Amino acid sequence: MLGKLRNYVARGSIFLITMALVAGMAGCSPFSQKVEIRTWYDLDAIRSNLSGHHRLMNDLDSTTPGYEELVSPIADEGQGWQPIGTPANPFTGTFDGQGYEVRDLFINRPAERDVALFGAVGEGGVIQNITVVNADVTGQWYVGNLVGTHYGIVSNSSSSGNVTGEGYVGGLVGGSGGTGGTVNNSYSTGNVTGDSHVGGLVGGNAGTVSDSYSTGNVTGDSHVGGLVGGNDGTVSNSYSTGGVIGNSDVGGLVGWNDGTVSNSFWDTETSGQSASAGGTGKTTAEMMDIATFTAAAWNITAVASGQTNSDYIWNIVSAVTYPFLSWQAG
């Protein structure tokens, strides 16, 4: 009997070792598998697996199972969606939207912090390839459409809709900090309203923002910027075009800056702002001229209307459009 048991153990060990070797050659772990998200119930279940690997398999909207119970204006006694992750227990896994959309997100939690689709993303957390569309998000501090408090990586993602809060309020991310807080190849078109540290893309940035842009209108009191409200991190190769209104530390691109801003621009005409704590102001015509961006060493190429060239980070239909990211539709 013991001999048979040893044979079974040996065979099992050989199987596991073989699987590990095969998986290693494929660049993945035999014990890790991406959880497929198809409904709002599946998305909600992420909060029970915050370090897991997840991928969206289809669009989620008001017709997807789970919307009425979890996301709609009548869900959770009118508070709508409960954000995934908190600063004490943040999301540290991976979420790959695979280019799909999360639509009709509703959150009404004006007395809460860390309010967004993902309330808090910790170091090591990755959110990518996801678009949040037609969101209506209200919170208090660290409020955004995609992430409230952010110490991970957000890439190739975007958002639209309205965001309202008090402090650290951004169209995509509320507050991004630390050496790991990165937002790249992303954009927001939503309107943002708050009091302090209010930005079209990120409310307060202590991390890195690169190759990103925002076009929504931004309204606040202090530390108000078209792209970033307050910056003591790094901003590069980015721009904003939305209208900006505030009372103190107000800028077309960045409201307040104690960090680094390089090769970045804002539209002085559409923003209504002639000054910024960082970046270079340009006219609308200059913002639609590829020469503005090639002179700043952007990875950009001109394309025909309706076309994209994925060999470059940025595309532009010169004299017709502002720069857009090549993963977007042309």
Side-chain angles (χ1 to χ4, degrees):
M1 184 69 182
L2 290 174
K4 290 183 178 180
L5 179 59
R6 278 192 289 268
N7 287 336
Y8 288 137
V9 172
R11 290 173 186 171
S13 298
I14 292 171
F15 172 75
L16 292 175
I17 292 169
T18 302
M19 287 297 292
L21 289 172
V22 171
M25 293 173 65
C28 63
S29 166
F31 306 108
S32 66
Q33 182 178 3
K34 289 188 177 179
V35 179
E36 296 184 348
I37 308 298
R38 300 179 186 276
T39 69
W40 290 102
Y41 297 119
D42 296 335
L43 189 67
D44 185 61
I46 290 178
R47 66 186 78 254
S48 299
N49 186 16
L50 293 171
S51 62
H53 305 289
H54 312 269
R55 60 181 177 184
L56 189 60
M57 305 302 293
N58 48 257
D59 295 334
L60 302 181
D61 58 27
S62 59
T63 67
T64 306
Y67 182 82
E68 184 173 354
E69 300 93 321
L70 298 171
V71 195
S72 73
I74 65 172
D76 197 9
E77 298 182 338
Q79 296 183 104
W81 178 254
Q82 180 184 348
I84 297 170
T86 66
N89 195 22
F91 178 78
T92 56
T94 61
F95 180 86
D96 187 350
Q98 299 197 115
Y100 290 112
E101 297 180 348
V102 173
R103 304 172 184 151
D104 310 319
L105 177 69
F106 177 81
I107 306 176
N108 183 30
R109 300 174 182 270
E112 297 182 19
R113 57 167 289 165
D114 312 303
V115 176
L117 182 66
F118 287 82
V121 174
E123 293 185 10
V126 177
I127 297 178
Q128 60 187 8
N129 306 321
I130 182 66
T131 296
V132 179
V133 179
N134 190 35
D136 186 357
V137 176
T138 299
Q140 187 177 42
W141 291 82
Y142 298 96
V143 187
N145 275 330
L146 184 59
V147 180
T149 296
H150 176 55
Y151 288 90
I153 296 173
V154 168
S155 66
N156 290 56
S157 296
S158 67
S159 66
S160 66
N162 299 315
V163 184
T164 304
E166 292 185 22
Y168 292 88
V169 188
L172 190 71
V173 174
S176 183
T179 56
T182 299
V183 177
N184 61 55
N185 290 49
S186 298
Y187 70 93
S188 178
T189 63
N191 297 320
V192 185
T193 303
D195 292 330
S196 175
H197 291 79
V198 188
L201 186 77
V202 179
N205 175 55
T208 300
V209 174
S210 63
D211 291 302
S212 298
Y213 72 91
S214 60
T215 63
N217 296 322
V218 184
T219 303
D221 182 29
S222 65
H223 298 67
V224 185
L227 185 79
V228 175
N231 176 62
D232 52 5
T234 300
V235 176
S236 65
N237 293 48
S238 299
Y239 75 89
S240 63
T241 65
V244 181
I245 298 174
N247 294 315
S248 62
D249 293 314
V250 181
L253 185 77
V254 177
W256 172 88
N257 179 48
D258 194 32
T260 301
V261 180
S262 62
N263 300 326
S264 298
F265 307 92
W266 83 94
D267 190 320
T268 56
E269 296 178 69
T270 58
S271 69
Q273 298 292 332
S274 60
S276 173
T280 303
K282 297 288 185 179
T283 65
T284 300
E286 290 172 323
M287 291 288 291
M288 294 184 178
D289 186 348
I290 191 173
T292 297
F293 306 99
T294 55
W298 280 32
N299 185 260
I300 189 170
T301 190
V303 296
S305 182
Q307 302 296 311
T308 57
N309 185 338
S310 60
D311 290 337
Y312 295 81
I313 295 173
W314 293 97
N315 290 177
I316 189 172
V317 182
S318 205
V320 176
T321 71
Y322 293 101
F324 57 92
L325 295 163
S326 62
W327 60 262
Q328 298 177 242

